[in-house]
Amino acid sequence: MQYRTIGRLGWPVSEIGYGMWGIAGGAGGFASGADYELAPRCLDEAVDLGCTFFDTAWAYGRGISELMLGAVLRRHRDRTLRVATKIPPKNRAWPPGPDDTLEDVFPREHVRDYVWRSLTNLGVDRIDLMQFHVWEDRWAADPQWQDTVRELKEEGLVAAFGISVNRWEPANCLAALDSGLIDVVQVIYNIFDQAPEDELFDRAQAAGVGVIARVPFDEGSLVGTLTVDSTWPEEDWRATYFGPENLKPTVERVDRLKPEVPEGMTLPELALRFALDHPAVTTVIPGMRKLEHVRRNLAMSDGQRLDPDLVRTLRPHRWDREPAWWSG
């Protein structure tokens, strides 16, 4: 396992972390992927293979994911494992609506309440990284969130604060970075979603802000198994995400990408290595709900990087999308 330093925090973390969204049922769905008996084995396997960074949220199973992670911490007290979790929006809107105010989404007492909930669920005295689970940069100048962040850090309840940037809006956090209070940003970054390279990555590097790259497989499309006939249970979030507006265009783009996969490499490997390739990225957090996922993904942290010519061939596969009602 290879390790990188997470910005100005100075923490070494595994360059492949564990994204715990699907493992506990996810936020607002993905229940069809949860296996509460298998999940602890997957998490322990990841630790044994050198994974030291785990990203969860209260919304992932309404605290269940945090409880799972707390148990992992207790089982592996001899390891230095870094924990990131998230405060859900008070109005439970992902992403925020155009008229939502900071008071609607992250009022002071709500933020403090969920910090304490997460501390309790995780069984720790201090959270390494607490993130706002949604964000709007129009809130950046509001002193309420800034004062709350300062208080929580000064009280020793939270070591670092971050923002989980809304889907397909990588620049919707730059004003918050200018506050100096945000230590880490989490953003979607993959072969299709290359927009974080336009502004965010340079700004983050200049400010010493760590970058967590999520959704390296584009919610599963870059695994390469989707077809225009793919279906999911009604309660599964993918049934909405890969609905009529998105499934066929996604499959068509994946089909155009497949010829770029080098001999001896799989599409998932190419996708994960692409996300690891950018120097601004601290850690990539694929979802891993099966033991074979854990072993396959963590094996990609072997110090090998993509040939620059191959990276250049992937540039035209960039797909700039706008947030939609189905995208979450």
Side-chain angles (χ1 to χ4, degrees):
M1 176 65 70
Q2 302 292 306
Y3 299 86
R4 302 182 184 185
T5 301
I6 190 162
R8 60 180 178 243
L9 297 173
W11 306 337
V13 296
S14 55
E15 66 177 12
I16 298 179
Y18 205 121
M20 294 182 64
W21 182 42
I23 202 169
F30 233 164
S32 63
D35 185 333
Y36 298 144
E37 293 185 4
L38 179 59
R41 293 172 55 201
C42 291
L43 293 163
D44 286 340
E45 181 77 0
V47 174
D48 290 341
L49 291 174
C51 180
T52 63
F53 185 82
F54 294 80
D55 178 81
T56 185
W58 179 89
Y60 301 170
R62 298 177 63 85
I64 292 175
S65 180
E66 291 181 332
L67 289 167
M68 283 184 183
L69 185 51
V72 172
L73 299 178
R74 291 188 292 277
R75 290 196 298 271
H76 300 278
R77 295 183 188 276
D78 59 326
R79 308 289 183 90
T80 300
L81 305 179
R82 294 295 181 181
V83 172
T85 190
K86 306 180 193 74
I87 302 160
K90 183 178 181 180
N91 61 359
R92 300 298 191 265
W94 280 272
D99 299 319
D100 288 344
T101 66
L102 184 69
E103 189 66 24
D104 295 325
V105 183
F106 293 124
R108 179 180 181 277
E109 290 308 317
H110 173 79
V111 171
R112 295 189 65 88
D113 177 34
Y114 276 85
V115 166
W116 280 106
R117 292 188 192 209
S118 294
L119 287 165
T120 300
N121 289 339
L122 293 165
V124 297
D125 296 324
R126 184 181 70 170
I127 294 166
D128 292 323
L129 173 62
M130 178 57 86
Q131 303 159 91
F132 293 112
H133 207 158
V134 298
W135 187 255
E136 286 293 337
D137 239 10
R138 61 177 180 268
W139 305 331
D142 191 315
Q144 181 177 184
W145 76 269
Q146 297 186 14
D147 292 344
T148 304
V149 166
R150 289 190 187 95
E151 289 171 6
L152 290 166
K153 288 182 176 182
E154 290 168 0
E155 292 167 20
L157 300 178
V158 175
F161 247 90
I163 288 173
S164 181
V165 185
N166 306 339
R167 184 184 298 274
W168 303 332
E169 296 181 345
N172 191 3
C173 66
L174 299 180
L177 296 192
D178 290 340
S179 73
L181 294 170
I182 298 302
D183 305 291
V184 179
V185 290
Q186 181 178 143
V187 66
I188 291 178
Y189 179 60
N190 56 55
I191 294 172
F192 291 155
D193 296 302
Q194 300 178 34
E197 297 178 5
D198 295 346
E199 292 184 83
L200 177 58
F201 283 175
D202 285 347
R203 292 280 292 275
Q205 283 185 294
V209 171
V211 174
I212 303 168
R214 74 179 190 268
V215 196
F217 302 128
D218 186 47
E219 307 295 5
S221 79
L222 291 172
V223 174
T225 57
L226 286 187
T227 72
V228 293
D229 299 315
S230 294
T231 59
W232 295 267
E234 184 178 352
E235 72 275 8
D236 192 310
W237 180 82
R238 290 168 295 183
T240 299
Y241 183 78
F242 288 117
E245 297 91 341
N246 193 32
L247 181 58
K248 186 173 183 289
T250 298
V251 171
E252 290 172 347
R253 285 181 175 268
V254 172
D255 286 344
R256 291 198 293 272
L257 173 63
K258 286 179 178 178
E260 311 285 11
V261 181
E263 185 177 353
M265 186 180 292
T266 65
L267 180 57
E269 179 180 346
L270 178 64
L272 193 50
R273 290 192 185 279
F274 176 87
L276 284 168
D277 194 69
H278 200 286
V281 172
T282 306
T283 186
V284 183
I285 53 168
M288 298 182 275
R289 289 175 286 151
K290 298 180 180 179
L291 286 168
E292 55 263 38
H293 296 167
V294 174
R295 293 163 184 158
R296 179 192 68 204
N297 292 337
L298 296 188
M300 296 304 101
S301 179
D302 55 9
Q304 298 183 32
R305 292 294 176 258
L306 294 179
D307 186 291
D309 289 337
L310 175 56
V311 175
R312 281 191 286 272
T313 69
L314 299 177
R315 292 296 176 208
H317 293 277
R318 173 171 170 161
W319 186 7
D320 290 325
R321 292 172 275 188
E322 296 291 334
W325 69 267
W326 47 264
S327 62

